[in-house]
């Protein structure tokens, strides 16, 4: 484990010692992924790496996803890097964020996990503030900070209560522990703990920071927000469910109901969005609501489905933000009302939009379909009365996805000043890197569903 940490730390020196730091960083991370993928293919079991770090299929899969997304972020940010005054600081910020996220996913100590969990806020705010698009980025960063800190401080108090009650801060030990079932303070600790994770996820009612952050963030910021940072909340919930097994049955029905109602509500809100990035951000809230509802059922099937949804949404939403950035570079606007008829101007772009829109609405053969089927069946197993909300969520998801696609690519052509865009090999590679895992993982789904 120390070798991995030293390698990641040494990569911070790359922008200082070479001019080709951008591509060297991406290639080095790609080579680093090869042995990690081979380990994942061999049925990874829970193992303690050090006294403070441990790994299982869930943490290992999310670590691989983090490295994969960071590579794609570097490739997608070529224009941002060349136009900005501080390209080296940009790459170093991404590498610092990578180190924080890897340590967060591999932490076995409760308080180290909390420290890394909160530390991810700093480079994310730096991305939005330093490389954001508009003056409103200051307000977006403030929303992000206030929402996160307001929920994380009560969570820290709850974690201290857990430590006092359990006499240990090692999370694997929680799996074999039984707290007193009439211990009322543990119910409060569960509510405060899950509150911090639900804000990071985010769940409906505490989601207002997400659209603002996405709209103001650069392409790299939107990719890491959608693909990884939202998954920190889901990862925390899945880890803590083993600790509060006896408490969840009292709160799961309420939280699942709020999550499903929120999924329907945010799907309807998507129809009212004129900003493309805002629409994709609200769709993330709906997908994460479905994931929370499935995870809180606290069954092995639901937990496996929640992890599958996290991986599927991380890839598909990141791809949609990349496509939205390509649209912006072509039309110089994110408004759906001003973007019409792109099928005539950019048929290749339209094809890629169709593929990623189909994966976002859970069309076969994507892992989104597998994860949604697993989530729906796990929720219905616990409560058949949720079939109405689940049906509305699935229907509206398909409806706003098709609305987004047709609004941009059909209709009268409104983009006439730009010539036909020529896709660079970098763009095609970037889109293929998103699409390949979405389609290929379905052939071996046990890679991401064998941890629970």
């Amino acid at each position: 484990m120390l070798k991995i940490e030293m390698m990641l730390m040494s990569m911070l020196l790359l922008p200082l010692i070479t001019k080709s730091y951008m591509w060297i960083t991406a290639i080095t991370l790609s080579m680093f992924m090869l042995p990690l993928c081979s380990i994942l293919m061999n049925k990874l079991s829970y193992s303690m790496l050090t006294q403070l770090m441990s790994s299982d299929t869930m943490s290992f899969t999310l670590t691989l996803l983090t490295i994969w997304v960071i590579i794609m972020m570097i490739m997608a940010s070529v224009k941002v890097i060349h136009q900005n005054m501080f390209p080296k600081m940009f790459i170093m910020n991404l590498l610092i964020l990578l180190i924080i996220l890897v340590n967060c996913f591999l932490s076995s100590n409760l308080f180290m996990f909390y420290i890394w969990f909160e530390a991810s806020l700093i480079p994310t705010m730096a991305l939005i503030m330093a490389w954001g698009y508009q003056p409103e980025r200051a307000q977006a960063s403030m929303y992000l900070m206030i929402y996160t800190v307001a929920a994380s401080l009560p969570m820290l108090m709850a974690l201290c209560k857990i430590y006092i009650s359990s006499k240990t801060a090692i999370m694997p030990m929680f799996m074999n522990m039984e707290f007193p079932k009439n211990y009322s303070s543990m119910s409060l600790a569960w509510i405060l703990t899950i509150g911090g994770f639900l804000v990071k996820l985010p769940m409906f009612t505490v989601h207002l920071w997400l659209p603002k952050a996405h709209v103001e963030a650069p392409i790299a910021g939107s990719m890491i927000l959608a693909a990884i940072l939202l998954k920190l909340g889901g990862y925390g919930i899945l880890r803590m469910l083993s600790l509060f097994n006896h408490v969840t049955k009292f709160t799961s029905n309420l939280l699942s109901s709020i999550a499903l109602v929120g999924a329907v509500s945010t799907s309807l809100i998507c129809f009212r969005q004129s900003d493309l990035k805002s629409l994709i951000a609200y769709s993330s809230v709906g997908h994460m609501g479905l994931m929370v509802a499935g995870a809180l059922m606290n069954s092995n099937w639901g937990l496996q489905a929640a992890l599958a949804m996290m991986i599927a949404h991380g890839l598909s939403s990141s791809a949609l933000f990349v496509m939205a950035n390509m649209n912006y570079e072509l039309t110089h606007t994110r408004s759906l009302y001003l973007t019409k008829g792109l099928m005539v101007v950019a048929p290749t772009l339209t094809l890629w939009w169709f593929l990623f829109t189909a994966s976002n609405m859970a069309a076969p053969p994507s892992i989104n379909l597998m994860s949604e089927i697993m989530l729906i069946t796990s929720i219905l197993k616990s409560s058949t009365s949720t079939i109405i909300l689940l049906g509305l969520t699935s229907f509206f998801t398909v409806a706003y996805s098709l609305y987004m696609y047709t609004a941009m690519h059909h209709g009268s052509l409104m983009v006439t000043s730009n010539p036909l865009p020529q896709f660079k090999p970098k763009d095609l590679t970037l889109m293929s890197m998103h699409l390949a895992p979405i389609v290929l993982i379905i052939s071996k789904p046990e890679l991401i569903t064998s941890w629970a």
Side-chain angles (χ1 to χ4, degrees):
M1 193 60 219
L2 184 61
K3 296 178 181 178
I4 297 176
E5 292 289 332
M6 291 299 295
M7 196 211 78
L8 292 175
M9 294 293 290
S10 63
M11 290 184 66
L12 291 173
L13 300 175
L14 284 176
L16 303 177
I17 60 177
T18 176
K19 294 182 178 179
S20 303
Y21 54 86
M22 185 177 66
W23 298 114
I24 291 177
T25 303
I27 293 171
T28 305
L29 287 173
S30 302
M31 295 175 63
F32 180 53
M33 282 195 66
L34 294 177
L36 297 181
C37 290
S38 64
I39 295 174
L40 183 63
M41 296 289 285
N42 295 326
K43 292 283 185 180
L44 184 68
S45 59
Y46 201 99
S47 58
M48 294 293 294
L49 303 176
T50 66
Q51 289 185 346
L52 298 177
M53 291 190 173
S54 60
S55 178
D56 63 353
T57 302
M58 177 170 63
S59 60
F60 208 80
T61 305
L62 291 172
T63 301
L64 279 176
L65 179 65
T66 303
I67 299 173
W68 190 250
V69 170
I70 291 289
I71 295 171
M72 294 189 291
M73 285 168 59
I74 295 173
M75 296 177 64
S77 303
V78 172
K79 189 173 181 180
V80 176
I81 292 172
H82 288 325
Q83 290 181 350
N84 199 275
M85 294 176 60
F86 307 105
K88 295 183 178 181
M89 290 299 296
F90 181 81
I91 295 294
M92 291 183 70
N93 192 67
L94 295 187
L95 292 175
I96 291 172
L97 186 57
L98 171 64
I99 294 171
I100 291 172
L101 292 172
V102 169
N103 280 283
C104 183
F105 287 130
L106 296 179
S107 291
S108 62
N109 185 281
L110 200 61
F111 295 104
M112 288 304 298
F113 170 73
Y114 175 82
I115 291 171
W116 293 118
F117 181 82
E118 293 303 321
S120 63
L121 177 68
I122 299 172
T124 307
M125 286 186 62
L127 268 178
I128 298 174
M129 285 293 292
W131 291 278
Y133 290 128
Q134 303 172 83
E136 288 82 2
R137 62 183 182 267
Q139 184 187 27
S141 298
M142 187 61 66
Y143 266 67
L144 173 62
M145 183 185 70
I146 290 175
Y147 268 86
T148 305
V149 173
S152 62
L153 291 180
M155 185 175 75
L156 178 59
M157 296 171 56
L159 296 181
C160 292
K161 181 63 179 177
I162 295 169
Y163 174 71
I164 293 172
S165 302
S166 63
K167 304 296 190 296
T168 181
I170 306 300
M171 286 193 283
M173 297 290 291
F174 297 151
M175 299 176 187
N176 302 318
M177 286 183 138
E178 283 291 335
F179 290 100
K181 295 190 177 181
N182 58 356
Y183 201 24
S184 59
S185 60
M186 292 308 296
S187 299
L188 179 61
W190 162 246
I191 294 172
L192 294 178
T193 302
I194 198 175
F197 295 132
L198 291 178
V199 169
K200 186 72 106 177
L201 200 59
M203 192 178 76
F204 183 69
T205 67
V206 288
H207 68 282
L208 294 179
W209 63 269
L210 184 64
K212 289 182 176 292
H214 271 306
V215 167
E216 304 304 330
I219 175 60
S222 293
M223 289 175 68
I224 198 68
L225 265 175
I228 306 299
L229 292 178
L230 304 191
K231 309 306 175 287
L232 282 178
Y235 175 77
I237 291 173
L238 297 181
R239 277 280 179 250
M240 290 297 151
L241 279 173
S242 60
L243 169 61
F244 295 99
N245 202 8
H246 61 281
V247 181
T248 53
K249 61 183 179 182
F250 300 111
T251 56
S252 61
N253 290 336
L254 175 62
L255 291 175
S256 298
S257 301
I258 296 174
L260 290 176
V261 170
V264 176
S265 302
T266 51
S267 298
L268 290 172
I269 292 173
C270 287
F271 288 105
R272 299 290 296 166
Q273 299 304 308
S274 59
D275 189 297
L276 180 57
K277 291 183 74 173
S278 182
L279 190 155
I280 301 171
Y282 273 108
S283 73
S284 297
V285 180
H287 283 99
M288 290 298 99
L290 189 62
M291 188 277 291
V292 169
L296 291 177
M297 296 301 106
N298 209 11
S299 62
N300 285 343
W301 188 256
L303 296 175
Q304 292 173 3
L307 177 60
M309 172 59 85
M310 288 163 61
I311 302 298
H313 176 263
L315 292 166
S316 60
S317 62
S318 174
L320 288 176
F321 280 113
V322 171
M323 302 301 294
N325 184 65
M326 291 182 181
N327 269 29
Y328 181 76
E329 292 180 355
L330 173 65
T331 63
H332 303 290
T333 180
R334 294 193 306 266
S335 174
L336 293 176
Y337 301 135
L338 300 178
T339 308
K340 300 287 184 183
L342 288 183
M343 186 182 292
V344 178
V345 179
T348 307
L349 184 66
T350 301
L351 172 62
W352 284 104
W353 262 111
F354 174 77
L355 293 173
F356 291 124
T357 303
S359 68
N360 187 61
M361 67 171 102
S366 64
I367 51 174
N368 303 64
L369 174 67
M370 178 195 72
S371 61
E372 288 205 13
I373 291 175
M374 293 174 68
L375 283 171
I376 290 172
T377 52
S378 67
I379 296 171
L380 288 177
K381 178 67 169 61
S382 300
S383 175
T384 55
S385 59
T386 58
I387 189 171
I388 298 175
L389 291 174
L390 290 171
L392 289 174
T393 302
S394 298
F395 174 76
F396 288 136
T397 300
V398 173
Y400 72 69
S401 297
L402 291 176
Y403 159 73
M404 176 181 68
Y405 174 76
T406 55
M408 290 184 295
H409 301 282
H410 293 266
S412 301
L413 181 63
M414 299 186 69
V415 183
T416 57
S417 59
N418 289 7
L420 290 175
Q422 296 295 323
F423 280 99
K424 300 177 182 178
K426 180 263 298 181
D427 297 324
L428 295 174
T429 303
L430 184 61
M431 291 182 284
S432 300
M433 289 174 69
H434 280 99
L435 187 62
I438 292 175
V439 175
L440 294 179
I441 292 179
I442 195 71
S443 63
K444 194 176 176 58
E446 59 269 21
L447 289 177
I448 58 174
T449 60
S450 60
W451 74 274

